[in-house]
Amino acid sequence: MKKPNFYLGIDGGGTKTKARLEDADGKLLGEGIAGASNLVRGATQAIDAFLSASQLAFEDANIDPALFSDTAACIGVAGATVEPHASDVKQWQHPFKQLKITTDLHIALAGAHNGSDGAVIITGTGFCAGIQHLGHYEEIGGHGLLLGDGGSGAKLGLTAIRLTLEALDGVIAHTPLTQHILQSFNCEDAKTLVTLSISKHPSFFASLAPIVFEYADKGDAIAMQVVTEIATFTGRYIHRLMDIKKVRLSIIGGISNALMPYLAKDARALCSPSLSEPDLGAVLQARSMVK
């Protein structure tokens, strides 16, 4: 079989989907960004985001999207192991020459260590962690906002709203953070805040993370409490990964840079910068499946 001329890596997450297009020599040709593609929210929405990000990457490279058929693609996406959503996307009649679908963690590992062994923690809209060493691959965390994700941007925002409700109930004192949340939602009572929040997706709660960090940096008591909880949770997973195998470890994701100063000193000392982004890790995975 003739090898493809193009290699596409797609990083699908709870907030955005990013595609990276390279040629056979590894030259970056174009990039595209689309909306959320977490499979737990449905395969149809995810596939639309995959195609949109891919098309934008091809357009950025001034290449006809008809050449999807000459492209090896790898998609790393949140929820890739959750049924029945995983089966739904595997039945997709995709337009690519070859396609590999794996987890967002798998491509993050490949990107963070440029294809070498190592460990990674993703602290974005969601949370997951994993390690790869001498052929052994293990994922931990990634249980979703309801059951886990204690180190995620979504958990950060959700906890901030929960504590704002406690302040409205008079159980704890208001702080500038809780007042900011109420003003931004244009509400003054618990019932209205619950109504505005109760049916929201994780990306909604994650959108509050920058505000929480902003107030934590100013010493706001509630913001500090929330961020400290997130950092403590993440620290436990750092040490667990190192218990499995002491390898190079990186923390990536939308809140990773803001979170790093709040990690305990011993946990922070175990972290190294990511060498590449997950979408490049996906390209490496796409190349690896071509014989």
Side-chain angles (χ1 to χ4, degrees), residues 11 59 69 87 93 196 229 256:
D11 175 22
E59 291 175 355
S69 61
S87 295
Q93 298 299 307
L196 290 170
E229 288 178 4
S256 58

Side-chain angles (χ1 to χ4, degrees), residues 39-285:
L39 286 179
V40 175
R41 292 174 61 179
T44 299
Q45 176 180 319
I47 289 170
D48 287 344
F50 300 153
L51 289 173
S52 179
S54 300
Q55 182 165 337
L56 289 170
F58 271 72
E59 291 175 355
D60 187 40
N62 292 315
I63 297 172
D64 189 343
L67 291 175
F68 282 178
S69 61
D70 193 18
T71 302
C74 173
I75 299 172
V77 58
T81 60
V82 180
E83 296 294 352
H85 315 291
S87 295
D88 290 342
V89 78
K90 287 176 182 177
Q91 295 173 14
W92 173 33
Q93 298 299 307
H94 64 82
F96 305 108
K97 185 180 183 73
Q98 293 176 258
L99 176 64
K100 176 180 181 178
I101 298 175
T102 186
T103 65
D104 56 340
L105 184 64
H106 200 182
I107 64 168
L109 272 168
H113 310 292
N114 278 350
S116 298
D117 287 346
V120 73
I121 292 176
I122 302 177
T123 57
T125 299
F127 177 95
C128 59
I131 186 168
Q132 183 168 294
H133 179 69
L134 298 179
H136 172 74
Y137 175 71
E138 183 174 348
E139 294 188 16
I140 56 177
H143 307 308
L145 183 57
L146 180 63
L147 300 176
D149 283 6
S152 69
K155 188 71 170 183
L156 199 73
L158 178 62
T159 305
I161 289 179
R162 177 176 61 79
L163 292 173
T164 300
L165 288 168
E166 290 186 15
L168 287 169
D169 288 339
V171 176
I172 60 175
H174 275 292
T175 69
L177 172 64
T178 61
Q179 296 288 4
H180 180 103
I181 290 173
L182 291 174
Q183 290 170 10
S184 63
F185 288 175
N186 194 28
C187 67
E188 298 179 352
D189 61 275
K191 182 177 180 180
T192 302
L193 183 56
V194 169
T195 300
L196 290 170
S197 307
I198 194 67
S199 62
K200 297 297 186 182
H201 292 295
S203 58
F204 167 81
F205 298 108
S207 70
L208 298 174
I211 299 299
V212 179
F213 278 113
E214 177 186 336
Y215 279 92
D217 291 344
K218 295 176 181 177
D220 182 279
I222 287 180
M224 287 287 294
Q225 176 185 337
V226 176
V227 171
T228 300
E229 288 178 4
I230 299 296
T232 300
F233 180 95
T234 304
R236 291 199 296 269
Y237 276 78
I238 290 172
H239 288 293
R240 173 57 187 148
L241 289 170
M242 293 298 97
D243 287 342
I244 296 172
K245 187 67 180 181
K246 287 182 171 55
V247 293
R248 189 177 188 277
L249 180 148
S250 297
I251 300 182
I252 67 169
I255 70 168
S256 58
N257 290 336
L259 180 64
M260 192 66 66
Y262 292 93
L263 293 175
K265 186 176 180 180
D266 61 338
R268 192 165 62 247
L270 295 169
C271 301
S272 300
S274 176
L275 298 177
S276 302
E277 295 296 318
D279 54 296
L280 179 56
V283 173
L284 293 175
Q285 292 292 311

